[in-house]
Every structure is written in C-alpha cells, then in structure tokens.
C-alpha cells in the first residue's frame, strides 16, 4: 500500500487480534495447556463460539487440540503450538510499536499546535 | 507493512470489536491482565479446600472451649470427609476446568532465600508456637497464663507480606483484606488488656481459640470469591463441553 507520508508500520495479524481468539491465545500463552471448560469460562464465550474459534486457530496452525475420554466423558485440551507462541509474541510487539508510534505522533502534534490556555485549564463556553 | 494512514481503520476495527457485548465486563473491554492472572493462579485460588481445613481446625480448637460437645466432633468429621474425598477439587474441575501450569522457571536467589525463611518460620511456630504465645502474653499483656492465641495474627502478617509480592493489579483489594484481618485478629488478642473481664465470655473464648481456623476459612472464602469474580459464569450456556 502507498504511504501518504514516509512513516510505515507493520499491521498486527488479523487472525490473532480478533478479541475472542486473542483472549484464547493470551490464556494459552500463560499456561502449558488448558481444557475447554476453563477456556469457555475465562473467555466468557458460548460453547459454539469457542468451538468455532478453536477450529479456526487449529486450522491456522496456532494451537493443538487433543481429545481424550476421562471417566466416560470427553476432555478437550488445548495447547499453543510453536507457531502460535511466536504469533502471539509478535502480535504484542506489533501492538507496542503501534502504541508508541501513536504516542510520539500525539506528542509532536500537541507541541506543534498547543492548546489555548482556556482548554488546558478545562474552561468551557 | 502499511502506511500510517491505514492504521486509522485498523484501530477503529480493534476498538469496535473490543466493545462487542461478549467482552463487556463492567463497561471495560477485554482485560488481558485478568486473563493472565486467572490462568496463572487457578490452582492457588481454589479456596474451598482451605475453607474445609479451616472449619476442621476451628471445630477441633472449639472442643477445648465447649465441653461435652459431641456435635463438634460430628462437624469435625464432616469437614474431614470433605477434605479426604477431595470434594472441592472435583467441584473446581467440573465448574472451572483444568489448567496445566507452565513448567517452573529457575528459582532466583531471592525467592530461594524467601522460601527457606518461610519454611524455617513454620518449623519454629510448630515447635515453639505455644512457648512464643506464652512469652508474648507475658511481655505484651503482663499475663503468664498463655491463653491468648497470637498465631492467627502472625499468619495474617505473613499473608499480608506475601500478598504485596503478588500481582495486586488484578487483585487490588487484597492488601486491604489482609490489613483488616490482621487488625481484627490483633484486636481480639489485645482486647483483654483493657477489658480483662472479656476473657470469661464464651464469644471471646471462641474467637480466641478458633482464630487460626476462622482465618483459614476467611482466606479460603476470599480466594474462592476472587476466582468467581475473575472467571464469571457464562449464563447463556450449560457447564461442561
């Protein structure tokens, strides 16, 4: 894409930054593995929604899903793959870069166009 | 790579998706600190087994205060059954799921020294606990009977010190809870200094004798409530998978 000015930034991975998937990956990056019940509870998703998100992440190779039968019940355990761990790490680095770039831009703008005294002291009208 | 101009649409997209109904908790977007804290501390916050242990200790201590109390032994037995049958663990596994924690990183020297000091303190309290209490009574209260149980105040102090090292951003009320607990347990101990007649009342005797059991129960309940707060139940679906 042609830049309007000289500043360019890397965009975060859209697959990762969707909130439901980001929540799942954040949880999995804080532990070795987690089961379906915990992921549903911590992410606040419905069974259907979580299942869809897990399938998407598995197809993208970001997580590994293991199913086993324990005490006559199916237990689904989810683990972050090596690629998933790298992706979530890269995602946070990208977001940090965007945030710091935005802060710098804001600082430059406020230095160039300082607010009038009335605005700085919170006067209105 | 993309131009800075295209960032605008990206940020709008992130903001809109963050504000979706699923991720609205107390009018704030998805909180990654909560997610990480809840995941890393799932096992530590399973407080109902501590509640059962505290109840057992409380009923055990109470048998010295309330004489001829067969029902206390029954309550004690009930609490022991709850612990032995691992009922809290099964409850947590069914309702909150399971997390396999990350393999422990190498312990730093500071953590190792802290752990060693903690273990030594526990050994000292176990061996010389009663003597320390008698000594504390004599020094602080001018009473040589050694009736006052200081161990709960010690335990609250230790918990308060440990809590300051924990991630208090996800648990902002933690220090306040421990300060209130420490103040309450110390007030129970110091009360006879100004009101000596209180030592004859059954309420004071119960609170004094069962202070450690009550403290454990309070910690367990608080940990459980914090876990429920961190991992709220999703009402739109049943438990299980």
């Amino acid at each position: 894409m042609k830049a309007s000015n000289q500043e360019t930034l890397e965009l975060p991975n859209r697959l990762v930054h969707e909130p439901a998937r980001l929540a799942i990956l954040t949880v999995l990056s804080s532990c070795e593995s987690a089961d379906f019940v915990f992921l549903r509870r911590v992410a606040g998703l419905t069974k259907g929604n979580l299942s869809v998100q897990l399938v998407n992440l598995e197809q993208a190779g970001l997580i590994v899903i293991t199913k086993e039968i324990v005490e006559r019940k199916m237990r689904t355990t989810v683990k972050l793959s090596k690629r998933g761990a790298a992706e979530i790490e890269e995602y946070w680095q990208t977001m940090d870069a965007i945030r710091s770039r935005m802060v710098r831009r804001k600082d430059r703008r406020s230095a160039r166009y300082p607010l009038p005294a009335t605005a700085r002291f919170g006067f209105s009208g | 790579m993309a131009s800075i101009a295209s960032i605008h649409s990206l940020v709008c997209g992130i903001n809109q998706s963050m504000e979706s109904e699923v991720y609205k908790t107390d009018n704030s977007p998805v909180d990654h600190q909560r997610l990480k804290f809840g995941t890393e501390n799932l096992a530590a916050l399973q407080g109902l087994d501590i509640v059962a242990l505290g109840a057992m200790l409380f009923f055990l201590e109470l048998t010295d205060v309330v004489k001829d109390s067969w029902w206390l032994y029954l309550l004690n037995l009930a609490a022991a059954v709850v612990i032995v049958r691992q009922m809290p663990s099964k409850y947590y596994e069914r309702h909150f799921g399971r997390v396999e924690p990350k393999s422990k990183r190498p312990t730093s020297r500071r953590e190792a020294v802290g752990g060693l000091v903690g273990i030594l303190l526990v050994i000292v309290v176990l061996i010389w606990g009663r003597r320390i209490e008698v000594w504390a009574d004599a020094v602080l209260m001018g009473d040589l009977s050694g009736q006052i149980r200081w161990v709960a105040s010690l335990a609250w102090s230790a918990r308060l010190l440990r809590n300051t090292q924990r991630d208090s951003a996800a648990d902002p009320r933690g220090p306040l809870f421990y300060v209130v607990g420490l103040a309450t347990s110390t007030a129970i101990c110091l009360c006879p200094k100004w009101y000596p007649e209180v030592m004859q009342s059954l309420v004071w005797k119960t609170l004094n004798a069962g202070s450690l059991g009550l403290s454990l129960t309070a910690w367990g309940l608080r940990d459980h409530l914090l876990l429920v707060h961190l991992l709220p139940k999703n009402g739109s679906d049943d438990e299980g998978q």
Side-chain angles (χ1 to χ4, degrees), chain B residues 68-144:
Chain B
D68 302 325
S69 47
W70 56 268
W71 51 274
L72 272 177
Y73 290 102
L74 271 185
L75 288 172
N76 216 340
L77 192 69
V81 167
V82 169
I83 294 168
V84 169
R85 297 204 59 177
Q86 296 186 315
M87 285 153 110
S89 306
K90 286 173 188 165
Y91 163 81
Y92 282 115
E93 194 172 327
R94 197 167 61 245
H95 292 274
F96 292 88
R98 278 161 58 96
V99 165
E100 192 191 333
K102 271 195 169 171
S103 47
K104 276 264 181 190
R105 62 194 159 77
T107 315
S108 70
R109 195 175 164 180
R110 194 181 156 194
E111 283 173 339
V113 170
L116 196 68
V117 169
I119 291 167
L120 282 175
L121 272 177
V122 170
I123 292 169
V124 165
V125 168
L126 282 175
I127 297 173
W128 293 292
R130 282 303 297 157
R131 283 188 191 178
I132 292 169
E133 281 182 334
V134 172
W135 173 80
D137 274 9
V139 171
L140 294 168
M141 315 290 285
D143 176 31
L144 292 170

Side-chain angles (χ1 to χ4, degrees), chain A:
Chain A
M1 191 182 282
K2 180 100 173 108
S4 57
N5 54 31
Q6 293 305 308
E7 289 182 285
T8 54
L9 270 180
E10 199 176 333
L11 288 179
N13 186 345
R14 279 202 172 267
L15 183 75
V16 177
H17 94 242
E18 193 280 325
R21 291 194 286 267
L22 181 58
I24 293 166
L25 292 174
T26 303
V27 167
L28 293 176
S29 67
S30 314
C31 62
E32 202 66 41
S33 66
D35 73 355
F36 189 91
V37 179
F38 179 75
L39 284 174
R40 205 162 67 75
R41 185 111 190 189
V42 76
L45 299 169
T46 60
K47 282 181 193 174
N49 195 354
L50 179 59
S51 298
V52 170
Q53 302 300 350
L54 289 179
V55 167
N56 286 342
L57 289 169
E58 191 185 29
Q59 282 173 353
L62 302 186
I63 58 169
V64 178
I65 299 176
T66 316
K67 287 178 188 271
E68 56 184 339
I69 294 171
V70 179
E71 292 172 5
R72 285 181 289 171
K73 281 183 184 172
M74 179 67 80
R75 179 185 288 164
T76 308
T77 310
V78 187
K79 195 177 175 179
L80 207 60
S81 68
K82 274 187 182 171
R83 195 180 148 206
E87 285 283 354
I88 189 82
E89 182 71 34
E90 192 185 326
Y91 173 83
W92 287 120
Q93 282 173 2
T94 309
M95 290 305 282
D96 280 347
I98 292 174
R99 197 182 302 126
S100 55
R101 184 73 66 96
M102 289 298 182
V103 169
R104 277 206 303 275
R105 274 174 64 87
K106 195 180 167 192
D107 289 347
R108 275 209 302 271
R109 194 177 294 164
S110 54
R112 209 178 298 160
Y113 309 109
L115 289 172
T118 50
R120 264 186 275 145
F121 290 103
F123 295 115
S124 59

